[in-house]
Amino acid sequence: MTRVLVIGAGGVFGSRLCEGLLRDGFEVVAAGRDRRRTEAVAARFRLAFPQGRIDVVTLDVATLTAAELKTTGADIVADTAGPFQGAEPTTARAAIAAGLSYVDLADGRDFVAAFPALNATAKAAGVAALTGCSSTPALSNAVLDRLTEGWREVVSIEAAISPGARAPRGLSAMRAILSWLGRPVRVFEGDEWTTRQGWSGLYRRDFGRAGRRLVSLCETPDLDLFPALYAPRQRALFLAGLEPAAAHLGAWVLAGLVRLLRFDPVPLAGLLVQVSGWASVIGSDRGAMRVEALGVDGEGCAARGVWRLVAEPGEGPVTPSLPALAAIKAIAAGRIEPGARACVGVMTLEDIVAEMAPHGLATETVVERGAIFARAIGPGFDGLPPAVRALHETPGRSLWRGEAMTEGAAGPMAAMIARIMGFPTAQAACSAEVAIHADGERSVWRRRIGCHAFASVLSTPRPGGRVRERFGPLSMELRLTPEGGRLVYRVEGWRLGPIRLPSGLAPSTRAHEEVDAEGRFVFDVQISLPLIGRLVRYRGWLVRAT
């Protein structure tokens, strides 16, 4: 029977791993510096698993030797005792020297990046050593392997994690977060490597049954691994959030203070653990994770995949231990080749999801067309001319150039309204440029016709060809209809901010897109108001520049 030494068994993740191992018939050696705490965990599991075997040893990873590991009689060493940020892989080295396989739950970016330096030694010893057997990078990358399977191109990747409000926040975990909070973090964004501050940005993301939550930039190994493994053309981010939202905003403010005042927040770890405990009485206690990819599928169509995990109250902390449990099983079964590497491309998503069965964890995967026009229009979108489809379906950022002309507002009142909406005045034939950023949920169009620039945001795709286009404070509800090789736009309602305006006063439009004899994308858009007349008309052609 395989015997597993769990270092940090008295902690949140270590105790959960011990539970999973005992449930699956492994012998466990629970190890930690605080014997009383480790004995308490072992006593609880002896009652829960009377047929299992769990022994207790006292180990200090700071002075750990290969000889000490051998005396435990373990076959596999599992290190759950963080933080791993800025640490040396001393336990992994000792395990390899002892001829034992090794896994850990490391989420330290520098730790995981340096780990392959042990590869030659691990191969010579004939043992497998895997780092990052946790939510990041093991689970996040297993999800992406499945979402992007068969794709021609990956444009952007984003993963996000949001623990429940009452999820245990230990001192080690808090110190790990504070080690990069407000500090420079290297990320691949905007088609290039750049530097941002840890916990910068305030994004709201949909976590399914766990609701919409605030998340910010988090430093994890995935910031290196996503670009290396999937070669996204434009962006790769890992985000994290805190519940309740007030706790997240507090961390965001602290990150800003660290950046401005340049102080070390790590000594505040104990105080912040206490404060987070006070804040935990409000906010959702569901834990959640989300992974999203945008790209081009095997058929050449824009594709968007979203995977979500929701953990019922109290079950969220088990998630990081499940990839480690799956990895230990794979090592015990002889399915992992000797060597030292990050736990990516090692197990399938199904391997990890299988470990979720005993827990209140639910996952869902949504794979859909990555273009909002394609989702709104349905099968009719694919019957449009290639140039029209290409402009609306190119994922990520694209730039289109050509020529256009504009006719301005029909009168003083129309001119005032056109100015509010940002519409151009009359211009003769001149250069035209449209920069589009399509992220699968919305498309931001920044137009420049001659010397005038204006922008709109297309969003909210719904069946029947319905989308919303916002110009400044005003938005229009559009219906898109393919008609004889053209895409025709019609206005069916309008709003000022969230306020629905009378439909009888709604703008009317004569707008369509088609191709000309040279196969170029051609547009002709006129927007008018009842009793007021034309606000603007712009028409011309475009071809893709980048």
Side-chain angles (χ1 to χ4, degrees):
M1 184 173 294
T2 304
R3 187 172 171 86
V4 182
L5 172 67
V6 179
I7 298 174
V12 175
F13 304 136
S15 62
R16 293 290 191 141
L17 180 57
C18 288
E19 181 180 0
L21 290 167
L22 289 166
R23 180 182 291 111
D24 289 330
F26 288 86
E27 291 185 1
V28 174
V29 182
R33 290 181 298 177
D34 186 339
R35 189 174 184 92
R36 181 182 303 177
R37 185 179 181 185
T38 309
E39 285 282 10
V41 169
R44 175 159 56 91
F45 287 139
R46 289 188 185 110
L47 289 175
F49 301 98
Q51 304 302 317
R53 179 177 176 180
I54 180 167
D55 300 320
V56 175
V57 298
T58 302
L59 292 176
D60 186 345
V61 294
T63 60
L64 190 63
T65 66
E68 284 182 282
L69 290 178
K70 285 183 179 181
T71 62
T72 66
D75 304 294
I76 301 172
V77 176
D79 187 358
T80 70
F84 292 91
Q85 285 77 2
E88 289 290 323
T90 52
T91 303
R93 289 195 188 105
I96 293 169
L100 306 178
S101 288
Y102 167 93
V103 301
D104 66 39
L105 275 65
D107 59 357
R109 185 177 184 178
D110 53 349
F111 186 96
V112 173
F115 197 81
L118 303 177
N119 187 48
T121 307
K123 283 186 175 181
V127 298
L130 300 176
T131 187
C133 305
S134 189
S135 304
T136 168
L139 177 54
S140 53
N141 281 264
V143 171
L144 283 169
D145 286 343
R146 183 62 65 239
L147 289 181
T148 63
E149 189 173 14
W151 283 16
R152 296 181 185 179
E153 180 187 28
V154 176
V155 173
S156 66
I157 294 170
E158 181 184 284
I161 191 166
S162 177
R166 285 170 284 286
R169 296 185 176 97
L171 191 60
S172 291
M174 186 62 73
R175 285 173 176 161
I177 293 172
L178 293 176
S179 70
W180 49 260
L181 192 89
R183 309 285 179 81
V185 174
R186 188 167 177 264
V187 297
F188 184 75
E189 190 174 23
D191 314 338
E192 63 183 4
W193 285 98
T194 186
T195 300
R196 287 179 47 186
Q197 304 304 312
W199 214 263
S200 62
L202 282 176
Y203 309 93
R204 190 173 292 276
R205 293 294 183 260
D206 181 6
F207 286 90
R209 289 195 297 130
R212 296 182 67 84
R213 297 184 177 186
L214 289 175
V215 287
S216 296
L217 178 64
C218 172
E219 178 152 73
T220 77
D222 281 330
L223 293 181
D224 292 323
L225 292 169
F226 287 166
L229 297 174
Y230 303 99
R233 175 160 49 89
Q234 294 182 351
R235 191 180 74 145
L237 291 184
F238 197 102
L239 310 172
L242 293 174
E243 277 288 297
H248 186 92
L249 290 170
W252 182 78
V253 170
L254 178 59
L257 292 174
V258 170
R259 178 177 60 84
L260 291 174
L261 303 179
R262 300 183 183 278
F263 68 93
D264 183 5
V266 174
L268 300 174
L271 173 63
L272 293 176
V273 167
Q274 188 175 23
V275 171
S276 67
W278 297 338
S280 68
V281 296
I282 59 175
S284 170
D285 196 31
R286 281 177 166 164
M289 183 172 176
R290 183 180 188 275
V291 180
E292 177 180 348
L294 178 70
V296 179
D297 65 16
E299 302 300 318
C301 300
R304 177 173 178 258
V306 180
W307 178 91
R308 298 183 185 91
L309 177 150
V310 176
E312 292 304 313
E315 289 294 342
V318 76
T319 307
S321 71
L322 299 180
L325 180 58
I328 289 169
K329 287 184 175 180
I331 291 171
R335 298 199 306 270
I336 308 296
E337 294 292 325
R341 55 202 179 277
C343 189
V344 295
V346 173
M347 295 173 296
T348 66
L349 177 60
E350 290 73 20
D351 291 333
I352 300 174
V353 169
E355 304 303 333
M356 300 179 184
H359 311 284
L361 304 179
T363 66
E364 65 169 340
T365 302
V366 177
V367 178
E368 59 188 1
R369 293 290 290 267
I372 62 173
F373 275 32
R375 295 208 299 277
I377 296 170
F381 178 84
D382 292 325
L384 290 168
V388 175
R389 293 201 314 270
L391 184 132
H392 291 294
E393 193 164 35
T394 301
R397 292 181 175 85
S398 59
L399 182 64
W400 307 77
R401 290 193 175 115
E403 294 182 359
M405 60 82 64
T406 61
E407 299 174 33
M413 180 64 72
M416 182 182 70
I417 296 173
R419 192 175 302 114
I420 292 173
M421 299 184 73
F423 291 151
T425 55
Q427 296 179 90
C430 55
S431 63
E433 181 177 284
V434 180
I436 301 175
H437 182 198
D439 65 8
E441 289 192 349
R442 64 178 196 162
S443 293
V444 180
W445 288 42
R446 292 182 173 87
R447 306 168 178 86
R448 180 175 292 278
I449 299 178
C451 60
H452 189 93
F454 64 110
S456 67
V457 180
L458 289 148
S459 65
T460 323
R462 288 154 293 163
R466 292 176 295 171
V467 299
R468 180 175 299 162
E469 184 167 21
R470 178 172 57 82
F471 292 89
L474 291 171
S475 60
M476 295 183 289
E477 303 292 335
L478 303 176
R479 184 179 291 274
L480 312 172
T481 309
E483 294 181 4
R486 289 181 167 189
L487 180 58
V488 178
Y489 291 57
R490 293 183 176 88
V491 178
E492 294 193 335
W494 65 321
R495 296 171 183 265
L496 176 62
I499 302 171
R500 184 179 292 277
L501 299 176
S503 58
L505 300 178
S508 62
T509 181
R510 295 205 317 266
H512 68 267
E513 298 167 352
E514 57 184 341
V515 297
D516 61 13
E518 299 178 46
R520 300 177 301 192
F521 174 89
V522 173
F523 59 93
D524 189 340
V525 179
Q526 177 169 310
I527 301 174
S528 305
L529 280 175
L531 306 179
I532 293 175
R534 185 185 66 236
L535 299 180
V536 69
R537 182 185 183 189
Y538 50 95
R539 50 198 169 96
W541 59 266
L542 297 167
V543 294
R544 186 171 181 180
T546 60

